[in-house]
Amino acid sequence: MTEEDRGLQRPSLSTSAFIVGLGVVTLVVVALDLRTGSAIRLFPLLIFLPAIVSGLGSVRQTAIASAWVAVVVGVTVAYVGRELDDNLLATGFTALFGVLSVVGCRYRVRREEEVHRLRSAVAALQRQIVRPLPLRTANVMVDGIYQPVEEDTMVGGDMYEVAPSPYGTRVLITDVQGKGLPAIGTALAVLGAFREAAYREPTLAGVVTSLENAVVRTNAFATLTGEPERLVTALVLDIDQELEVEVVNCGHIAPFVIHDGDAREINLGEPAVPLGLAALSPSPRKGTRFPFPQGATMLLCTDGVTEARDPTGLFYPLESRLRAWAADPPPRLAERLGEDLRTFAGTPRDDIAVLTLRRAEPMRRVGWAADTHPPEPIRPHPPENSRPDPPEHGEPPLHEPPPS
């Protein structure tokens, strides 16, 4: 038997409920019909029973209900003593309606199986795009919540990534302008650029330059295809064994640090322009450092949290909530924040991404040592009389001419 055939036989209505329901409904309808007499005939209502089963049960259950109702109707019309033609007409019509119910149930189950396969494929794709939490590297333990506003897409315009590298753990949280499927293409471009640059670039500024170039290229292609250009806010962090964290803020919400029973938003100064707008900025983006001691919890989020509103229009008071929950462990903190957001604002109107970070206990580093660099890629020997490749010192911004 194929997987599809097994799906057609898989009951969504339990056997006990099916048998009890079939018997009780039949008994009640036939008893009422016999009690009312010939004035009002109720037993023809039984033809709707297979249709009800077809919407709740399996194909086999619908076929059994159809056969059962056809037999009951045939016996009932014979008992009440109608004409033979009337008996055949009632029984035949009941059988025909039962066949249609079986066909309808078969179509419904096939559609449900198709939707299930599609959702399974989307779930597998989501695990490849946005890795499930919690995550752990040599430097940090990361937990949180991820809730796209469009539930069936499972992936929204908010993205995050945690990338271990020879230079420390690089963390990205980003929010693409727009919601749902139209914003996913830009978000994937940023995510792919980060995964490569976080491992390659020795400086955080080099990582951010790679993200900027990815957004510029994506917007240039969008212009050619008639799609609107999109801005991307991002927060990029570099966490190593030192008790300070380097961060570059590209128009994103600043991180919160929870420590010693208090919670506060980190003052990073004036944020840099969002990704895609570096050509309009008079100065390059610069990193900032702030303390992140052992035992503290850092919270990163997107504007789906800070811009959530209650029915009266008030914004979600994130900082005061974090102070009240300062004693909660990071997994519980993220879970409680998600629950409180649903209570406060109801159905979310924007994608929500929340990360909680806590320094990991010291552990043996796997791979390259902290003071070494990844091996250089193997390149083919250039032909004679060819110009050598220029040395790599990070990826130059697309809006500036590469250094000669």
Side-chain angles (χ1 to χ4, degrees):
M1 181 181 293
T2 65
E3 181 65 25
E4 186 176 5
D5 292 334
R6 284 194 294 269
L8 293 175
Q9 301 300 330
R10 186 184 298 121
S12 53
L13 184 65
S14 66
T15 303
S16 58
F18 169 69
I19 294 175
V20 172
L22 194 65
V24 169
V25 172
T26 302
L27 181 62
V28 170
V29 171
V30 172
L32 290 176
D33 181 85
L34 296 178
R35 183 176 180 83
T36 57
S38 58
I40 302 176
R41 287 301 177 188
L42 299 179
F43 71 86
L45 296 177
L46 288 174
I47 65 173
F48 297 107
L49 188 55
I52 297 174
V53 176
S54 70
L56 301 174
S58 65
V59 175
R60 181 177 298 172
Q61 290 173 341
T62 305
I64 293 174
S66 300
W68 168 258
V69 169
V71 171
V72 171
V73 169
V75 171
T76 304
V77 295
Y79 177 79
V80 298
R82 288 192 171 187
E83 297 292 335
L84 179 61
D85 293 342
D86 293 339
N87 295 349
L88 294 177
L89 181 61
T91 305
F93 187 78
T94 303
L96 176 61
F97 202 81
V99 171
L100 294 177
S101 298
V102 172
V103 173
C105 181
R106 183 180 179 85
Y107 176 77
R108 175 188 65 82
V109 173
R110 285 184 182 275
R111 293 287 296 175
E112 288 180 354
E113 288 295 314
E114 181 180 354
V115 170
H116 176 73
R117 287 193 296 269
L118 289 175
R119 287 184 173 176
S120 298
V122 170
L125 178 62
Q126 181 200 25
R127 287 191 292 269
Q128 297 299 318
I129 297 175
V130 180
R131 293 191 292 161
L133 298 168
L135 299 169
R136 175 169 181 150
T137 70
N139 306 109
V140 291
M141 296 178 292
V142 184
D143 213 313
I145 56 175
Y146 180 71
Q147 299 174 354
V149 66
E150 298 182 26
E151 182 179 358
D152 285 341
T153 65
M154 303 186 74
V155 180
D158 294 2
M159 291 283 183
Y160 65 85
E161 183 57 290
V162 179
S165 78
Y167 317 104
T169 298
R170 271 74 187 268
V171 180
L172 168 72
I173 186 167
T174 180
D175 186 359
V176 179
Q177 180 186 17
K179 301 181 181 69
L181 293 175
I184 290 178
T186 304
L188 292 180
V190 173
L191 200 62
F194 175 78
R195 287 171 174 168
E196 179 185 357
Y199 190 78
R200 182 192 67 228
E201 297 293 341
T203 65
L204 202 60
V207 176
V208 175
T209 298
S210 296
L211 302 184
E212 171 71 21
N213 291 347
V215 175
V216 170
R217 286 191 291 263
T218 303
N219 283 338
F221 180 78
T223 303
L224 295 176
T225 57
E227 295 290 331
E229 296 183 359
R230 298 184 183 276
L231 306 180
V232 181
T233 65
L235 198 67
V236 189
L237 301 95
D238 190 355
I239 305 174
D240 53 22
Q241 299 299 331
E242 298 182 9
L243 297 183
E244 284 191 338
V245 174
E246 183 182 5
V247 57
V248 177
N249 185 4
C250 304
H252 199 78
I253 301 165
F256 292 81
V257 172
I258 306 164
H259 188 51
D260 290 338
D262 191 22
R264 62 186 179 89
E265 185 177 9
I266 300 300
N267 182 11
L268 300 179
E270 188 69 21
V273 295
L275 298 174
L277 296 180
L280 305 179
S281 176
S283 59
R285 300 182 179 95
K286 296 181 180 180
T288 306
R289 302 188 71 88
F290 65 90
F292 182 37
Q294 193 77 28
T297 300
M298 186 192 311
L299 185 136
L300 313 177
C301 66
T302 57
D303 60 6
V305 177
T306 57
E307 295 183 2
R309 301 191 185 197
D310 67 3
T312 64
L314 295 177
F315 287 103
Y316 184 72
L318 177 60
E319 191 167 350
S320 63
R321 291 290 203 272
L322 294 180
R323 289 196 183 98
W325 304 331
D328 289 353
R332 175 56 184 158
L333 178 64
E335 180 183 352
R336 194 168 184 177
L337 177 58
E339 295 172 353
D340 191 60
L341 270 173
R342 287 189 291 271
T343 303
F344 182 85
T347 304
R349 299 180 181 180
D350 197 0
D351 300 328
I352 294 174
V354 176
L355 297 181
T356 57
L357 295 83
R358 197 176 183 90
R359 286 193 179 274
E361 297 296 330
M363 58 183 294
R364 184 174 62 87
R365 183 183 293 273
V366 178
W368 296 286
D371 56 350
T372 61
H373 295 277
E376 293 293 331
I378 301 175
R379 297 176 179 173
H381 293 288
E384 296 183 0
N385 301 325
S386 64
R387 297 179 60 185
D389 292 335
E392 293 186 358
H393 296 289
E395 184 177 351
L398 289 183
H399 63 273
E400 297 179 1
S404 56

